[in-house]
């Protein structure tokens, strides 16, 4: 009890506003955690603490403590039987807030003990007994155990089995643990579930909230149980389960006001989970669900009928509609499902799918208020680039579009092909040949869509007949037509090119000459062209690019935002380029995009410019200097980006990233086509133009804030992405042809700032920051050619500052390299080669030799520390580290010896080096070259 009191006291202190008190209590808790009774004390407080805050704190600390103890020990972890039993009791008694935290502790133990090791044999019997004797199951009898808590435990127990445990197996058997849970708990629970459903629905409404929660929890558990596997004990019970789920779905009501009652909300969640179970059964367990397939299909068809009221439904019912479409879509892709659904194709198209695709006044008001938000909630995920951060996965319109695509690719009845190639429906005759099956896209979908004409006469509008010619009802319907066309990509691909040409020329391109107040249709037309990019005819490139550029140039009209039009146009052009569908001429496209950037500085346009340069570099290489200068000019107009002005800084960063792509693409093309030793005058002149522009940009980002600062103020340079900035700096260095050019471009000043920035670099990526490494080598190369001011020894600050030199360029680089040795394992060879390069920079004085000695100390410490971490790994992981230490040793043996003097480190390095050099021609050659350099 004393230990529990101490733990409770320290937990209370963690709520203090005094950081010192919090720090002291945390240290004390870490010390108490060494006691064997510590986790039991936390459990005691979590269920019986003096306050809710203390109980939640205890549960949270226990969760973190268990995660460290169990997951940190891997397969060697062992949790005592006593603790597991007490944890189960605590879960059954905890209040809801504590339970939500405490189940995470249970999850960690379950995965380690029950799932991975198949230990804890008493778990399933204990949980079965707890559920059977819980308060709501016993119906009126007093019980200390909460049914919702017990089902929450079961839900957590089943969660790991929703996925295949060994996905590498072609056919993974059902885990025995899941078979046991199904037999001992889930099957008996189905009887209770059936009883509750019958009793609940007989009241023609909702019973108590707890009953609805039981239905929801049971459905969640069943979904996890069948999402991947089918336990043998559950298979015979599927028909009765499906009947109950269908009853629940049929009980759903869409005639509810904007404020949902708790009971109705829970019932909708049960309905959503029921459809997820149907999706799993149709997709993975068709053999077991075949008998129930007709009932599942009919129930789901009744659900999707509600699309006619989509604008009156609450958001959760829209999710249910979305899942309903998904169930039908999965079913159509099966033989039995197709036979059951195909008679309803016409109904689905006309009464369920198309109504959800069309626009109405509600859609337009949401679109105009916030186009991005409307796109996230209502449009397909690939409608615009902004959807890369999309979170909602239940857009009913997207599911309907997907189902339409599946229907269009379904085979229809057999066709009789005449000698002239025409097709007609016919009945099968014995022995008759020359038959084929047409797609439903031809038989049903396109004939239906052709009923809807263009909403206006484009020629009449051009002649001056204005908006009174627009049929607004036809406009809303035509939006649905365009959504449908976007779903038919796979069907259109198998058609002849003339088919696609006619479709695009007559049904899509006329929209770009329509009234300027209809962004909905233009954005949708952009999306259709994006979807059809893989199959667009080559002879339409001029018309298609002309239309997309017109859309990209469209400006907002009054209060109506055209953001979606421009974003979707960018997405369409990028998709065309990615599918090798180039514009008729590259230069006009390049100039157009840059011109828009100069006027708008839109981040989306920067992305498009990168795509254009990457795709068309062969045609645009000669124009890259002009493009770089223009883009830099647009960025310079903004002035210095401030860290507290996030939008401006974001645009500036996007510009830097785009410039990095442009110069990297151009450099790679030049080296590939011309070769590094054959650069002509034109290429050198181009590099000069690019270098001057990029130098001006980096000066504004890095030097301007320091020059404009008040004496006592410290202003940091703009912390742009150093990987992209380093690429730009490298391009500046490549343009330097002499000391005068270096002075003109302020190369030493830029390098000092850059060296300070990379010295404090912490944003490591496993892909390696190769641009920084390339830039380092170019800096060393430039210093060897012309000598760089402040390269070895930093400059002295002006009085009255203390006469302590600033960090030199090479010292900043060395700090980056030392950190890279420890943090960037994927670039170990690259980093260690940089060590070699830096240590062989020419030294001209005793003062600079001291700098080199400090480099040797830093590099050898970092390399040996990393070597000790990875020496149990394959030799290839630590060979470069040994060579880096060797380079250091040949430069300053005494320094390396002083670094390796502890714990026989020197002997460890020497023996490892000898082992690595045995039979390694590469290492022997390296050692010989190092010795020759050392002798010089």
């Amino acid at each position: 009890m004393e230990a529990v009191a101490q733990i409770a006291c320290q937990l209370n202190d963690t709520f203090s506003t005094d950081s010192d008190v919090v720090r002291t209590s945390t240290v004390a808790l870490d010390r108490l955690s060494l006691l064997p009774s510590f986790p039991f004390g936390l459990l005691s407080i979590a269920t019986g603490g003096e306050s809710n805050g203390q109980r939640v704190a205890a549960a949270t600390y226990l969760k973190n403590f268990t995660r460290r103890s169990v997951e940190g020990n891997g397969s060697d972890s062992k949790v005592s039987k006593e603790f597991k039993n007490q944890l189960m009791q605590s879960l059954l008694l905890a209040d809801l807030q504590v339970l939500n935290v405490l189940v995470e502790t249970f999850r960690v133990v379950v995965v380690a003990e029950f799932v991975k090791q198949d230990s804890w044999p008493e778990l399933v019997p204990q949980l079965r007994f707890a559920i059977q004797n819980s308060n709501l199951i016993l119906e009126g009898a007093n019980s200390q155990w909460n049914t919702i808590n017990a089902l929450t435990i079961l839900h957590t127990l089943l969660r790991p089995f929703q996925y295949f445990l060994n996905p590498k197996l072609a056919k993974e058997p059902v885990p025995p643990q899941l078979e046991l849970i199904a037999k001992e708990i889930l099957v008996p629970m189905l009887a209770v579930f059936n009883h509750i459903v019958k009793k609940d629905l007989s009241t023609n409404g909702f019973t108590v909230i707890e009953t609805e929660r039981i239905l929801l929890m049971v459905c969640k558990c069943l979904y996890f149980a069948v999402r991947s596997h089918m336990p043998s004990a559950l298979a015979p019970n599927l028909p009765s389960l499906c009947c109950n789920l269908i009853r629940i779905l049929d009980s759903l009501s869409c005639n509810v006001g904007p404020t949902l009652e708790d009971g109705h909300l829970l019932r909708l969640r049960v309905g959503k989970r029921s459809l997820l179970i149907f999706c799993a059964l149709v997709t993975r367990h068709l053999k077991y669900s075949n008998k129930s397939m007709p009932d599942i299909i009919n129930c789901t068809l009744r659900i999707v009928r509600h699309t006619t009221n989509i604008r009156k439904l609450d958001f959760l019912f829209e999710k249910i509609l979305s899942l309903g479409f998904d169930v039908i879509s999965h079913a159509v892709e099966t033989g039995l499902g197709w036979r059951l659904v195909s008679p309803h194709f016409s109904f689905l198209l006309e009464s369920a799918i198309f109504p959800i695709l069309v626009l109405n006044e509600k859609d337009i008001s949401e679109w105009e208020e916030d186009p991005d938000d409307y796109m996230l909630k209502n449009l397909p995920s690939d409608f615009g680039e902004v959807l890369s951060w999309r979170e909602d996965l239940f857009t009913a319109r997207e599911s309907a579009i997907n189902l339409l695509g599946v229907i269009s690719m379904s085979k229809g009845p057999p066709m009789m092909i005449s000698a002239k190639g025409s097709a007609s429906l016919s009945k099968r005759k014995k022995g008759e040949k020359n038959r084929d099956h047409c797609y439903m896209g031809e038989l049903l979908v396109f004939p239906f869509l052709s009923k809807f004409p263009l909403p206006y006469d484009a020629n009449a509008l051009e002649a001056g007949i204005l908006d009174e010619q627009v049929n607004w009802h036809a406009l809303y319907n035509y939006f649905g037509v365009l959504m449908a066309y976007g779903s038919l990509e796979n069907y259109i691909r198998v058609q002849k090119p003339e088919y696609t040409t006619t479709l695009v020329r007559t049904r899509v391109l006329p929209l770009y000459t329509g009234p300027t107040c209809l962004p909905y249709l233009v954005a949708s037309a952009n999306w259709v062209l994006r979807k059809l990019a893989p199959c667009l005819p080559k002879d339409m490139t001029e018309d298609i690019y002309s239309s997309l550029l017109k859309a990209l140039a469209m400006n907002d009209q009054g209060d109506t935002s055209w953001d979606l039009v421009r974003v979707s146009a960018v997405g369409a052009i990028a998709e065309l380029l990615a599918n090798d569908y180039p514009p008729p001429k590259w230069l006009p496209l390049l100039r157009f995009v840059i011109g828009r950037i100069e006027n708008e500085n839109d981040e989306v346009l920067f992305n498009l410019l990168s795509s254009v340069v990457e795709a068309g570099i062969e045609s645009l290489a000669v124009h890259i200097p002009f493009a770089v200068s223009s883009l830099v000019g647009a960025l310079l107009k903004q002035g210095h980006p401030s860290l507290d002005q996030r939008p401006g800084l974001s645009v500036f960063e996007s510009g830097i990233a785009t410039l990095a792509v442009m110069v990297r693409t151009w450099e790679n093309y030049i080296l590939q086509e011309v070769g590094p030793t054959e650069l002509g005058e034109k290429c050198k002149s181009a590099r000069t133009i690019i270098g001057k522009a990029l130098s001006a940009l980096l000066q504004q980002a890095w030097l301007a804030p320091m020059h404009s600062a008040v004496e006592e103020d410290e202003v940091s340079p703009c912390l742009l992405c150093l990987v992209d900035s380093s690429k730009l700096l490298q391009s500046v260095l490549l343009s330097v042809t002499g000391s005068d050019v270096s002075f003109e471009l302020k190369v030493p000043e830029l390098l000092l700032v850059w060296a300070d920035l990379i010295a404090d670099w912490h944003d490591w990526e496993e892909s390696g920051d190769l641009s920084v490494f390339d830039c380092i080598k170019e800096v060393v190369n430039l210093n060897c050619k012309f000598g760089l001011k402040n390269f070895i020894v930093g400059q002295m600050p002006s009085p009255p500052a203390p006469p302590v030199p600033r960090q030199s360029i090479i010292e900043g680089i060395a700090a980056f390299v030392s950190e890279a040795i420890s943090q960037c394992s994927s670039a170990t060879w690259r980093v260690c080669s940089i060590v070699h390069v830096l240590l062989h920079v020419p030294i001209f004085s005793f003062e600079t030799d001291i700098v080199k000695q400090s480099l040797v100390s830093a590099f050898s410490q970092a390399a040996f520390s990393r070597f000790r971490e990875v020496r149990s790994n394959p030799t290839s992981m630590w060979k470069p580290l040994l060579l880096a230490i060797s380079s250091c040793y040949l430069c300053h043996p005494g320094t390396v010896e002083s670094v390796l003097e502890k714990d026989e480190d020197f002997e460890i390095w020497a023996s490892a080096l000898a082992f690595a050099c045995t039979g390694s021609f590469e290492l022997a050659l390296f050692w010989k070259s190092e010795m020759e350099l050392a002798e010089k």
Side-chain angles (χ1 to χ4, degrees):
M1 295 298 295
E2 182 180 353
V4 173
Q6 291 181 14
I7 296 171
C9 180
Q10 298 303 332
L11 286 172
N12 289 338
D13 286 345
T14 60
F15 303 145
S16 174
T17 57
D18 189 334
S19 58
D20 292 333
V21 173
V22 174
R23 191 179 304 110
T24 302
S25 63
T26 303
V27 172
L29 285 171
D30 289 342
R31 186 173 61 254
L32 290 170
S33 68
L34 301 176
L35 298 174
S37 61
F38 182 72
F40 297 93
L42 289 174
L43 276 176
S44 175
I45 298 170
T47 54
E50 60 186 20
S51 67
N52 186 59
Q54 189 186 73
R55 292 192 293 271
V56 172
T60 304
Y61 202 98
L62 179 63
K63 175 190 69 174
N64 297 330
F65 172 80
T66 306
R67 185 174 294 160
R68 289 194 306 268
S69 303
V70 175
E71 294 181 350
N73 293 328
S75 60
D76 296 331
S77 64
K78 294 293 181 183
V79 181
S80 69
K81 180 179 179 180
E82 182 185 1
F83 176 77
K84 289 184 289 191
N85 291 337
Q86 187 167 333
L87 175 61
M88 176 72 77
Q89 293 299 317
S90 299
L91 286 165
L92 291 167
L93 298 173
D95 60 61
L96 183 60
Q97 194 171 4
V98 173
L99 177 68
N100 291 334
V101 182
L102 213 53
V103 290
E104 288 301 306
T105 302
F106 179 71
R107 182 193 62 80
V108 173
V109 178
V110 159
V111 171
E113 296 275 318
F114 185 73
V115 178
K116 293 183 178 180
Q117 301 180 26
D118 198 13
S119 55
W120 203 351
E122 66 276 10
L123 172 59
V124 173
Q126 283 180 349
L127 183 56
R128 179 190 60 200
F129 183 80
I131 293 174
Q132 292 174 344
N133 293 276
S134 59
N135 61 336
L136 298 178
I137 301 299
L138 290 178
E139 292 188 341
N142 293 326
S143 173
Q144 61 175 333
W145 294 326
N146 189 306
T147 302
I148 300 301
N149 286 34
L151 293 177
T152 301
I153 297 172
L154 177 61
H155 178 253
T156 306
L157 178 62
L158 285 165
R159 182 181 291 272
F161 299 104
Q162 65 177 309
Y163 307 109
F164 290 109
L165 300 182
N166 190 358
K168 294 182 179 180
L169 290 178
K171 190 175 181 181
E172 180 183 316
V174 181
Q177 302 96 314
L178 180 58
E179 290 278 21
L180 178 64
I181 297 170
K183 179 182 177 181
E184 298 293 325
I185 300 180
L186 293 180
V187 171
M189 188 183 295
L190 288 177
V192 177
F193 184 71
N194 178 60
H195 172 72
I196 293 176
V197 169
K198 287 183 178 180
K199 179 180 178 182
D200 199 23
L201 297 182
S202 65
T203 62
N204 197 26
F206 309 114
T207 57
V208 294
I209 297 299
E210 286 77 9
T211 304
E212 296 294 331
R213 285 179 178 156
I214 290 177
L215 292 178
L216 177 59
M217 291 302 300
V218 172
C219 285
K220 284 184 176 182
C221 293
L222 291 170
Y223 174 62
F224 283 163
V226 302
R227 184 179 181 183
S228 295
H229 303 280
M230 176 53 67
S232 58
L234 274 181
N237 295 276
L238 285 183
S240 62
L241 170 63
C242 290
C243 286
N244 284 322
L245 297 180
I246 289 170
R247 289 180 185 140
I248 291 171
L249 288 168
D250 286 341
S251 73
L252 300 182
S253 172
C254 63
N255 299 319
V256 178
T259 303
L260 295 178
E261 299 176 357
D262 289 341
H264 179 71
L265 179 61
L266 286 170
R267 178 63 60 83
L268 289 179
R269 292 175 64 189
V270 175
K272 186 191 81 172
R273 192 63 58 166
S274 301
L275 287 169
L276 285 172
I277 293 174
F278 284 163
C279 280
L281 294 179
V282 172
T283 305
R284 293 202 176 274
H285 311 299
L286 197 60
K287 178 175 69 174
Y288 302 102
S289 59
N290 265 347
K291 292 182 180 179
S292 302
M293 183 72 80
D295 294 332
I296 291 174
I297 295 298
N298 290 331
C299 171
T300 312
L301 289 171
R302 292 193 293 271
I303 289 289
V304 298
R305 288 176 186 268
H306 292 293
T307 56
T308 54
N309 300 318
I310 183 65
R311 275 80 195 181
K312 300 178 182 179
L313 300 178
D314 56 76
F315 182 63
L316 189 53
F317 207 99
E318 288 186 35
K319 291 184 178 183
I320 290 173
L321 283 179
S322 176
L323 287 170
F325 285 124
D326 290 342
V327 171
I328 297 173
S329 179
H330 294 314
V332 171
E333 294 176 324
T334 68
L336 175 60
W338 182 88
R339 290 193 295 273
L340 293 171
V341 178
S342 57
H344 305 281
F345 277 166
S346 181
F347 155 75
L348 281 170
L349 178 58
E350 297 180 15
S351 303
I353 297 175
F354 194 73
I356 206 172
L357 301 184
V358 300
L359 273 176
N360 66 12
E361 289 80 0
K362 178 177 178 286
D363 289 302
I364 291 176
S365 61
E366 290 182 9
W367 188 311
E368 293 178 349
E369 182 178 350
D370 191 340
D372 290 353
D373 185 61
Y374 178 81
M375 181 160 44
L376 285 170
K377 293 179 180 178
N378 299 282
L379 296 179
S381 58
D382 59 353
F383 198 92
E385 293 297 327
V386 74
L387 289 177
S388 60
W389 51 275
R390 168 195 182 94
E391 295 179 356
D392 172 43
L393 301 178
F394 290 95
T395 299
R397 184 173 272 150
E398 184 164 25
S399 294
I401 288 172
N402 179 64
L403 175 57
L404 184 58
V406 173
I407 290 175
S408 69
M409 288 300 292
S410 297
K411 294 293 183 69
M415 304 292 292
M416 185 66 186
I417 309 298
S418 68
K420 295 182 180 180
S422 61
S424 60
L425 290 171
S426 65
K427 295 182 180 179
R428 181 183 298 275
K429 295 180 182 179
K430 186 176 181 181
E432 191 173 44
K433 298 182 180 180
N434 199 26
R435 287 177 173 272
D436 197 5
H437 289 262
C438 284
Y439 292 108
M440 293 305 297
E442 177 183 352
L443 296 177
L444 175 65
V445 179
F446 267 89
F448 173 78
L449 296 177
S450 65
K451 297 177 183 178
F452 300 93
L454 286 166
Y456 48 79
D457 185 342
N459 294 326
L461 287 164
E462 288 184 348
I465 304 175
L466 300 179
D467 286 3
E468 56 266 20
Q469 296 295 321
V470 177
N471 182 331
W472 292 100
H473 180 69
L475 182 153
Y476 299 152
N477 284 339
Y478 206 76
F479 178 88
V481 171
L482 292 173
M483 290 287 103
Y485 285 152
S487 72
L488 303 177
E489 172 195 346
N490 291 332
Y491 170 75
I492 294 174
R493 273 192 188 186
V494 301
Q495 307 303 311
K496 295 180 179 180
E498 297 79 14
Y499 187 95
T500 309
T501 300
T502 302
L503 172 67
V504 174
R505 197 174 297 282
T506 61
R507 303 285 279 172
V508 180
L509 294 185
L511 298 172
Y512 292 92
T513 58
T516 58
C517 59
L518 304 177
Y520 334 107
L521 294 187
V522 179
S524 303
N526 294 340
W527 179 71
V528 172
L529 292 177
R530 175 178 182 167
K531 295 292 288 185
L532 300 183
C535 52
L536 289 174
K538 298 296 182 183
D539 59 353
M540 297 191 68
T541 55
E542 185 171 355
D543 293 335
I544 289 174
Y545 273 97
S546 175
S547 299
L548 290 174
L549 291 180
K550 182 182 293 185
L552 192 58
M554 291 177 177
N555 297 314
D556 295 348
Q557 301 292 325
D559 295 333
T560 302
S561 171
W562 283 68
D563 283 348
L564 271 186
V565 175
R566 294 184 287 269
V567 169
S568 56
V570 167
I573 295 174
E575 192 69 19
L576 292 175
L577 297 177
N579 281 275
D580 297 323
Y581 194 83
K585 294 181 180 179
W586 284 99
L587 183 57
L589 176 60
L590 179 68
R591 285 178 170 166
F592 181 90
V593 176
I594 290 179
R596 296 295 298 181
I597 288 176
E598 289 176 333
N599 292 328
E600 298 180 19
N601 274 343
D602 193 330
E603 293 180 61
V604 175
L605 293 171
F606 288 126
N607 297 334
L608 177 58
L609 181 56
S610 298
S611 299
V612 170
V613 172
E614 288 181 307
I617 187 60
E618 293 185 4
S619 302
L620 296 175
V622 69
H623 304 292
I624 293 301
F626 142 76
V628 169
S629 298
S630 299
L631 182 54
V632 168
L635 294 173
L636 289 175
K637 288 179 183 177
Q638 292 191 105
H640 177 260
S642 173
L643 292 177
D644 58 355
Q645 296 175 347
R646 190 63 226 174
L649 182 60
S650 180
V651 170
F652 206 83
E653 289 174 332
S654 298
I656 292 288
T658 300
L659 285 168
V661 171
M662 293 171 69
V663 296
R664 184 183 297 112
T665 304
W666 184 78
E667 287 286 352
N668 292 340
Y669 175 78
I670 291 299
L671 293 177
Q672 180 181 351
E673 296 296 317
V674 181
T677 61
E678 301 175 3
L679 291 177
E681 290 301 321
K682 289 186 177 180
C683 290
K684 293 179 180 178
S685 175
R687 273 186 170 170
T688 299
I689 296 172
I690 293 173
K692 287 183 178 179
L694 298 180
S695 174
L697 184 66
L698 293 176
Q699 287 179 49
Q700 177 158 303
W702 290 347
L703 303 183
M706 292 185 289
H707 292 162
S708 62
V710 183
E711 289 185 4
E712 62 272 10
D713 291 341
E714 292 185 4
V715 180
S716 301
C718 182
L719 298 176
L720 303 172
C721 176
L722 279 180
V723 175
D724 293 329
S725 300
S726 296
K727 183 59 191 176
L728 302 191
L729 181 59
Q730 183 189 2
S731 293
V732 174
L733 302 180
L734 289 171
S735 70
V736 175
T737 55
S739 299
D740 55 336
V741 177
S742 176
F743 177 79
E744 178 186 352
L745 299 181
K746 297 187 181 297
V747 168
E749 291 89 337
L750 291 174
L751 287 177
L752 275 174
V753 177
W754 171 78
D756 286 342
L757 292 175
I758 66 171
D760 197 35
W761 178 256
H762 300 296
D763 192 17
W764 298 98
E765 298 177 3
E766 278 304 307
S767 59
D769 304 295
L770 299 184
S771 293
V772 182
F773 300 140
D774 290 337
C775 192
I776 290 173
K777 286 196 172 182
E778 197 56 44
V779 172
V780 175
N781 180 51
L782 196 65
N783 179 69
C784 294
K785 286 182 179 179
F786 309 114
L788 289 172
K789 182 182 177 183
N790 303 319
F791 183 73
I792 300 293
V793 179
Q795 66 184 10
M796 288 289 184
S798 302
V804 179
R806 286 184 56 188
Q807 178 176 260
S808 66
I809 296 171
I810 198 172
E811 287 173 329
I813 293 174
F816 170 83
V817 170
S818 299
E819 186 74 7
I821 292 173
S822 303
Q823 302 292 337
C824 197
S825 58
S826 62
T828 302
W829 276 102
R830 192 71 181 266
V831 176
C832 291
S833 69
I834 295 290
V835 170
H836 173 83
V837 169
L838 292 175
L839 291 179
H840 289 94
V841 170
I843 298 299
F844 302 106
S845 67
F846 173 77
E847 184 181 23
T848 55
D849 189 63
I850 294 177
V851 173
K852 176 175 286 190
Q853 187 174 347
S854 68
L855 300 186
V856 167
S857 177
F859 293 157
S860 57
Q861 283 181 355
F864 190 75
S865 176
R866 181 61 179 163
F867 166 71
R868 295 192 67 130
E869 294 175 3
V870 302
R871 63 175 173 166
S872 60
N873 295 334
T875 314
S876 59
M877 292 287 291
W878 43 265
K879 274 184 181 179
L881 299 169
L882 294 179
L883 300 183
I885 300 171
S886 301
S887 292
C888 294
Y889 184 75
L890 291 173
C891 287
H892 276 278
T895 302
V896 175
E897 290 173 359
S898 65
V899 170
L900 305 182
E901 66 180 358
K902 296 179 181 179
D903 300 325
E904 300 180 341
D905 291 340
F906 189 86
E907 287 77 6
I908 294 174
W909 163 66
S911 60
L913 184 63
F915 171 79
C917 287
T918 304
S920 174
F921 176 77
E922 177 192 29
L923 286 175
L925 187 63
F926 166 84
W927 189 259
K928 180 181 178 182
S929 64
E930 286 290 306
M931 292 294 291
E932 291 174 352
L933 287 169
E935 291 174 359
K936 294 179 181 180

